[in-house]
């Protein structure tokens, strides 16, 4: 199972996020998430599939600096 743009998902912090955009870069899938309610929070995560389970891994700061510009298009 993979997530799609426009989908609402709940993360481990028990907040709902909308998937605004999804991109492929260097054989990895990255997602841009915003909370579906106020206060608005923004997250960038890396999509991983392990044993048919979807995992959205946090991105470290060094990787994040390279990823954010990709979502500006």
């Amino acid at each position: 199972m993979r997530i799609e743009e426009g989908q609402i998902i709940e993360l481990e912090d028990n907040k709902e996020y909308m998937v605004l955009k999804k991109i492929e870069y260097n054989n990895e899938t990255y997602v841009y998430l915003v909370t579906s309610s106020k206060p608005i929070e923004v997250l960038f995560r890396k999509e991983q599939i392990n044993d048919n389970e979807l995992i959205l891994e946090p991105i470290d700061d060094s990787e994040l600096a390279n990823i954010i510009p990709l979502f500006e298009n």
Side-chain angles (χ1 to χ4, degrees), residues 3-59:
I3 60 174
E4 300 297 327
E5 289 181 12
Q7 186 175 354
I8 303 286
I9 60 171
E10 186 173 320
L11 294 183
E12 64 278 353
D13 61 3
N14 295 320
K15 295 179 185 175
E16 288 188 342
Y17 293 83
M18 181 187 300
V19 180
L20 283 188
K21 193 167 183 180
K22 195 172 159 177
I23 60 163
E24 301 284 331
Y25 177 71
N26 285 343
N27 297 318
E28 298 284 357
T29 302
Y30 296 93
V31 293
Y32 175 17
L33 307 169
V34 295
T35 50
S36 60
S37 60
K38 292 182 180 179
I40 301 297
E41 297 176 38
V42 174
L43 293 177
F44 295 90
R45 296 284 177 105
K46 187 186 312 184
E47 184 181 89
Q48 300 287 322
I49 306 290
N50 270 348
D51 297 325
N52 291 325
E53 183 180 344
L54 174 68
I55 299 168
L56 293 175
E57 294 181 6
I59 299 171

